[in-house]
Amino acid sequence: VFNATILGQVFVNGVSLSAIYILVALGFTLLFGIMRVVNFAHGEFAMLGAFALFHLIKDWHWPWLIALPVGVIGVALASLVLEWLVFRWFYQRMFESMIGLLGLNMMMMFGAVLIWDVHERNIPSVSSDVLMMGDIIVPIDRLIVVVIALAALAGFYLFIRHTRAGLAMRAAAQDLETAETQGVNTRRTYKIAFFVAILLAALAGALWGQIYAVSPFLGERPLLMAFIVVILGGMGSIPGAALGGVLLGFTESFVGTFYGAAWSAFLSFGVVILLLIVRPWGILGTPES
Amino acid sequence: MTMRKRVYCVLAAIVLLGWPWLTDDRFFHHVGVLICLTSIAAASLHLIIRSGHVSLCHTAFMAFGAYGSTLTVMKLGMPWPVGLLVGTALAAAVAAMIGPIVLRLTGKYFVLITFLMGEVVRMAIVESSDLTGGSNGIFDVPPPYPFLLSNRAYYYFALAFAVFGVGFCARLLTSEFGRAMDAIREGERLAECSGIPVIRFKVTVFVIACALAGMTGSLQAHYIKFVGPDAYSGFQSLNLVIMNVIGGMTSLAGALLGTVFMVTLPELLRGYVNLQQIMFGAILFATMAFLPGGLIELARRVRGFFQRDKAVAQSVAPTSAPARPQTRAPA
């Protein structure tokens, strides 16, 4: 069964899964690294992103390439209300944030059930064409997802490395008090970080909904994956999130194809549990004092 | 025991023993059974929380109890007490195996690892469908004894176990052992320096709590006559955490208060499942954001507010009760 065609297919799936996982996990790890908030409601923002894309395309008939950025940015902007109502109470309160945001997770999920009901919907695909690369079939749909996800990752990298706001974020993540004494406006930095994190989550959700289906429970899986990715890479570490996403995406694609989805879940959970025991701060993280 | 306490105890006993006779409605008896059973689970989780860890896989241990007991009774044809013992022992054995490993993790890492372990147990139940019936579960679980088919009879049966389980937790917490647990939560290093074998204590607490959870699982499975993986999902574990959180994480009475609240409300709001969940979410958020001490803390603050005037009037008269230790959430 290990012939080139199937392995190629596995590779393509692995790349698209990895890209989406990294998008979700980056926001998660950003919120943790800077604000010490464990965002158990992260998946629900992905769900909102998917529904925004769905409605803009289905009800308003916007072209996909406009609907995606508008929907995703719209969700991120609207979420700033939640930042003000909910998240700001939990900044630098790790334990309380974990339990409290589980509550927000429940509110958003079941609120979505009230609004949208439980049934699944499909976002119309961008293109039903396929690209043949030798024997490997690459659906254009997936290719677009990968390209957009990679572009977003590149954009995020540039933002965090080469802008003043990104510098402020890295400073706040490293040492909050020193950053504040150097004149970093932490309140503003938190808001920007929150916006960016939700933007990435909503984008990941929209792309996820594009590949699979949209429902109020869409957020559960990305959240679980974000956990695993972030623990693998190290909580708060941005390169760690990228590494973890690639590891998980490819494992899932490979094991899932050859041995079934249940085994891939068992394997990734098992590895994470082992890692938590021997090296809780993750592969690329740093232990806390 | 003071006179006043004795009066309270007698009153509580009368209410608990007498109220099923106020009504013949089976539904109210059913709610009573659920409160009794859930209170054991919540109280046992309270033990773990008191030792400084928040476990998100407590219902997984109820699952061990439920499946262990059900399979012993249904597949091996054993009487129910054997099933109860097997279920409880299974939960305790698993806890004793993983406890020494996972209890070395603190704070967020413990929360995350228990969250994942709960998922693993649920997935394992769904996958091993030959034994556990997969996601369909096992139907027609027999009651412990034939006369326990009536809800009222089962209420007294469950009440007896609840008195034992919760009473055990309460006694443990007021003993020297309980004080050691509080010391470990408040300052692990300091506790260790004072000669408390921290890990051994934590593991002991974990095993006791999980054994009680296993016992609850068995009682529950034979009461609702069905076991399925959904009853033991992460959401259910979270509900147990909510019970502890809204009542107040540092008092057993708070956990019981939370149990009554969290069990009755869904049963009374049957038609509005989604609204219920939204409400629980809001309560959880609001408690963690503004009142991490829960309802007990609220009561204390209100009392403090009214007593402040009195205290000022009496100038510096010392209060009779020794100050409660400052409590903080496990970090």
Side-chain angles (χ1 to χ4, degrees):
Chain A
V1 283
F2 291 93
N3 64 42
T5 315
I6 292 180
L7 284 179
Q9 210 68 55
V10 165
F11 179 79
V12 171
N13 280 341
V15 171
S16 60
L17 277 177
S18 306
I20 292 179
Y21 290 163
I22 294 173
L23 282 178
V24 187
L26 269 184
F28 190 86
T29 212
L30 196 65
L31 290 178
F32 180 79
I34 298 178
M35 293 97 131
R36 300 277 131 185
V37 161
V38 181
N39 187 9
F40 264 87
H42 208 63
E44 302 315 301
F45 293 101
M47 184 262 303
L48 289 182
F51 269 109
L53 182 66
F54 174 80
H55 281 298
L56 287 178
I57 290 180
K58 259 277 162 71
D59 298 344
W60 295 27
H61 306 290
W62 286 22
W64 196 83
L65 273 179
I66 302 176
L68 182 73
V70 170
V72 165
I73 293 174
V75 167
L77 282 176
S79 299
L80 286 175
V81 177
L82 280 178
E83 195 263 356
W84 185 73
L85 279 176
V86 176
F87 281 81
R88 66 183 171 126
W89 303 106
F90 293 116
Y91 290 158
Q92 308 299 335
R93 291 167 70 191
M94 186 165 49
F95 175 77
E96 285 91 342
S97 80
M98 241 189 285
I99 310 285
L101 292 177
L102 272 169
L104 179 68
N105 182 49
M106 280 167 83
M107 282 163 79
M108 289 175 76
M109 184 184 290
F110 289 98
V113 172
L114 280 186
I115 298 172
W116 286 295
D117 215 329
V118 290
H119 66 267
E120 295 193 334
R121 300 143 213 249
N122 288 309
I123 299 176
S125 59
V126 194
S127 150
S128 50
D129 292 343
V130 291
L131 187 71
M132 296 292 291
M133 299 198 315
D135 285 338
I136 305 165
I137 306 163
V138 185
I140 297 285
D141 234 18
R142 284 234 167 184
L143 199 66
I144 293 177
V145 164
V146 171
V147 168
I148 289 180
L150 290 179
L153 292 177
F156 176 77
Y157 179 80
L158 290 177
F159 170 75
I160 212 102
R161 277 277 149 194
H162 295 289
T163 63
R164 276 184 76 80
L167 184 67
M169 267 180 216
R170 280 182 292 144
Q174 256 177 28
D175 190 327
L176 190 70
E177 275 175 20
T178 313
E180 271 177 341
T181 55
Q182 298 301 317
V184 172
N185 181 346
T186 43
R187 191 70 193 84
R188 196 170 138 262
T189 308
Y190 286 172
K191 267 198 193 129
I192 297 173
F194 182 82
F195 179 81
V196 172
I198 300 308
L199 193 75
L200 295 175
L203 179 64
L207 298 179
W208 183 278
Q210 181 77 46
I211 297 181
Y212 303 102
V214 186
S215 88
F217 304 114
L218 177 141
E220 284 181 332
R221 223 179 132 66
L223 175 70
L224 209 59
M225 293 305 149
F227 268 159
I228 295 179
V229 166
V230 167
I231 299 171
L232 270 179
M235 286 188 85
S237 153
I238 287 168
L243 176 69
V246 171
L247 283 178
L248 182 69
F250 278 94
T251 312
E252 196 172 304
S253 168
F254 188 83
V255 182
T257 307
F258 293 113
Y259 304 97
W263 278 109
S264 96
F266 273 123
L267 182 72
S268 44
F269 281 28
V271 167
V272 164
I273 289 175
L274 279 181
L275 189 75
L276 269 176
I277 290 163
V278 293
R279 199 181 154 87
W281 51 87
I283 301 173
L284 292 183
T286 42
E288 282 165 62
S289 51
Chain B
M1 216 188 260
T2 60
M3 193 60 204
R4 202 164 159 199
K5 266 192 178 167
R6 257 180 228 170
V7 172
Y8 281 147
C9 284
V10 171
L11 278 180
I14 290 173
V15 169
L16 286 175
L17 289 172
W19 77 266
W21 300 98
L22 288 178
T23 166
D24 276 335
D25 195 337
R26 284 173 55 95
F27 174 71
F28 283 94
H29 303 153
H30 171 71
V31 175
V33 175
L34 289 186
I35 291 180
C36 287
L37 294 182
T38 316
S39 68
I40 313 175
S44 61
L45 179 63
H46 180 73
L47 288 183
I48 303 179
I49 291 179
R50 276 289 273 271
S51 70
H53 291 279
V54 175
S55 161
L56 281 180
C57 67
H58 207 54
T59 46
F61 289 97
M62 287 172 68
F64 284 121
Y67 279 98
S69 165
T70 309
L71 293 175
T72 313
V73 172
M74 290 179 75
K75 293 245 158 121
L76 303 178
M78 293 287 188
W80 174 76
V82 180
L84 177 76
L85 282 181
V86 169
T88 310
L90 183 65
V94 175
M97 264 188 318
I98 62 169
I101 305 167
V102 297
L103 285 163
R104 282 169 210 280
L105 298 170
T106 51
K108 61 178 183 292
Y109 295 122
F110 187 82
V111 175
L112 290 172
I113 202 169
T114 49
F115 181 81
L116 291 176
M117 286 192 313
E119 276 298 304
V120 168
V121 170
R122 199 187 59 81
M123 283 185 338
I125 292 172
V126 172
E127 287 303 312
S128 51
S129 48
D130 298 342
L131 196 63
T132 62
S135 44
N136 293 327
I138 305 171
F139 290 91
D140 298 325
V141 180
Y145 300 102
F147 68 91
L148 289 173
L149 272 171
S150 118
N151 283 2
R152 195 183 271 153
Y154 208 99
Y155 169 74
Y156 287 109
F157 187 65
L159 183 64
F161 275 95
V163 168
F164 162 71
V166 176
F168 182 81
C169 292
R171 183 67 192 85
L172 195 68
L173 286 171
T174 47
S175 69
E176 206 161 307
F177 192 91
R179 273 178 237 296
M181 279 161 62
D182 281 336
I184 290 172
R185 185 188 70 244
E186 299 296 325
E188 199 171 313
R189 288 267 170 79
L190 193 58
E192 195 151 24
C193 291
S194 312
I196 298 171
V198 170
I199 282 292
R200 203 189 303 161
F201 261 68
K202 281 184 177 175
V203 174
T204 315
V205 171
F206 193 64
V207 171
I208 291 173
C210 291
L212 284 173
M215 184 184 92
T216 316
S218 165
L219 288 167
Q220 202 179 43
H222 291 274
Y223 170 64
I224 51 177
K225 304 177 186 65
F226 169 71
V227 263
D230 285 344
Y232 309 106
S233 66
F235 259 116
Q236 301 303 323
S237 288
L238 181 62
N239 275 343
L240 289 179
V241 174
I242 300 178
M243 289 169 203
N244 275 285
V245 166
I246 56 173
M249 280 195 291
T250 49
S251 104
L252 182 63
L256 297 181
L257 212 62
T259 308
V260 174
F261 181 79
M262 286 287 292
V263 176
T264 357
L265 210 64
E267 295 295 331
L268 295 179
L269 295 174
R270 271 273 167 96
Y272 310 92
V273 180
N274 296 320
L275 272 182
Q276 247 180 60
Q277 298 287 354
I278 294 174
M279 212 165 68
F280 286 157
I283 291 171
L284 195 57
F285 149 68
T287 323
M288 285 328 286
F290 308 115
L291 201 73
L295 289 175
I296 293 286
E297 161 102 16
L298 185 70
R300 212 173 289 154
R301 273 195 208 172
V302 169
R303 204 185 302 151
F305 181 77
F306 284 115
Q307 281 178 347
R308 196 161 47 190
D309 302 336
K310 237 189 266 173
V312 171
Q314 293 170 350
S315 74
V316 275
T319 46
S320 57
R324 281 186 81 92
Q326 279 294 309
T327 47
R328 74 182 165 83

